[in-house]
Amino acid sequence: MAAHSPLSAILAAEAGFDAIWASGFELSALYGLADVSLISMSDHLAMVRAMASRCDLPIVADIDTGFGNAVNVMHAVREYERAGASAVVIEDKHFPKVTSLRDGARQDLVSIQEFQGKIEAAIDARSNREFLIIARTEALIAGLGNDEALRRARAYASAGADMVLVHSKQKTPIEIERFAADWDGGAPLVVVPTAYPQLTEARIKEIGRIGMVIYGNHGIRATIKAMRDVFAQIAHDGHSMGVDASIATVEDVFAIQEMDRINADERRFVR
Ligand code: SPV
Ligand code: MG
């Protein structure tokens, strides 16, 4: 489940998800910014570090294009591994990238050779073999078709990527199902069924070859709707009575903040 803060990571863990997607799209939106490489690596890394200190789930870090060339990727991999991430996803777009789901947006990809270099650099930079390097192809997003997506995905798997994320913005899962049916590159696939929510986990298991499903932006979208509705109602009513029963209680916030433990620690140690 995508998260943009330690709080959203905690809530994803509470819901039973088994990993966190440290989403660049969600963090960009949190800053009120477009997901076009405006958020710095430091900002995203600070979020990952803060999540890792409050949530035990593995964190799959969305590092976009890797913040530059293969040398930048190496620096990023070292920093994200140290910050507590368990995996990074690097995409084959040019820096600065443009968000994937926007219709008509510029989507230009680097050459296969350049991206293989970035994958090899990422593998060289990790200190633990268990830290996953996930290569993401945007070939379908860029409208280059199934053959080019397969060509790129195979090349990335042969460069050593542990998994291959193949993204699609089609409104049905047909494009992704076709890619998965043709996939012969060995590495497990990762899918992001945001534009095509009809693709259920049950169906994904039937298709096979898919090792990870990312719910890419549901946290930030839920947040926007919830805050917008509550703020509008308070502004309209001139009081907060109308929303009180439908939002989290202050006690709920205290529980997330572990106030019981804080109070106990105060009693024990603060003199
Ligand atoms: C993100 O969540 O930042 C992603 C997924 O990369 S998407 O926004 O659909 O490209
Ligand atoms: Mg992203």
Side-chain angles (χ1 to χ4, degrees):
M1 175 53 68
H4 51 268
S5 61
L7 173 62
S8 48
I10 289 167
L11 296 178
E14 194 181 288
F17 289 97
D18 49 16
I20 300 298
W21 168 239
S23 161
F25 177 84
E26 289 215 353
L27 188 63
S28 301
L30 191 72
Y31 279 82
L33 292 172
D35 183 19
V36 293
S37 301
L38 299 178
I39 296 291
S40 70
M41 183 179 104
S42 307
D43 288 332
H44 190 264
L45 190 60
M47 173 187 74
V48 167
R49 194 175 291 118
M51 283 176 172
S53 78
R54 286 292 292 119
C55 176
D56 291 334
L57 292 182
I59 298 171
V60 180
D62 173 12
I63 64 166
D64 289 352
T65 63
F67 309 103
N69 68 17
V71 171
N72 301 76
V73 167
M74 294 180 90
H75 176 62
V77 165
R78 292 187 195 108
E79 292 293 310
Y80 277 84
E81 196 176 352
R82 231 176 256 136
S86 296
V88 288
V89 173
I90 315 169
E91 66 197 45
D92 58 359
K93 283 179 182 163
H94 271 290
F95 176 89
K97 54 72 77 66
V98 176
T99 196
S100 300
L101 298 180
R102 170 86 177 180
D103 278 341
R106 169 180 67 81
Q107 299 294 348
D108 46 350
L109 310 192
V110 298
S111 70
I112 290 181
Q113 204 182 14
E114 178 178 341
F115 199 65
Q116 282 184 312
K118 288 171 109 169
I119 295 163
E120 287 166 21
I123 291 167
D124 193 73
R126 69 181 164 193
S127 67
N128 182 348
R129 176 67 190 81
E130 302 282 296
F131 184 87
L132 298 182
I133 306 299
I134 305 176
R136 163 171 168 176
T137 184
E138 294 282 288
L140 298 177
I141 293 284
L144 302 178
N146 194 51
D147 289 349
E148 178 63 9
L150 283 166
R151 205 159 73 85
R152 284 179 171 264
R154 285 186 196 116
Y156 304 161
S158 72
D162 297 298
M163 303 181 87
V164 175
L165 188 158
V166 55
H167 204 7
S168 164
K169 63 179 179 208
Q170 296 293 312
K171 302 284 183 264
T172 76
I174 293 169
E175 191 174 53
I176 285 296
E177 290 222 17
R178 169 147 180 237
F179 179 94
D182 291 345
W183 178 235
D184 53 6
L189 299 174
V190 182
V191 296
V192 188
T194 307
Y196 49 94
Q198 315 88 311
L199 187 64
T200 64
E201 290 174 21
R203 176 67 191 140
I204 285 166
K205 284 192 183 119
E206 268 170 31
I207 295 170
R209 299 178 188 173
I210 296 171
M212 189 188 296
V213 180
I214 294 174
Y215 294 100
N217 56 29
H218 300 80
I220 199 77
R221 286 162 61 197
T223 300
I224 290 167
K225 169 103 175 78
M227 281 203 264
R228 185 175 274 148
D229 289 353
V230 166
F231 294 176
Q233 190 172 343
I234 296 172
H236 173 267
D237 294 349
H239 59 76
S240 63
M241 274 183 299
V243 302
D244 221 45
S246 64
I247 59 178
T249 61
V250 177
E251 285 68 30
D252 194 358
V253 183
F254 288 157
I256 290 167
Q257 294 172 316
E258 300 185 333
M259 277 307 297
D260 285 349
R261 180 180 58 76
I262 301 284
N263 290 346
D265 288 348
E266 283 236 347
R267 282 194 295 275
R268 287 171 69 204
F269 300 120
V270 177
R271 297 182 190 144

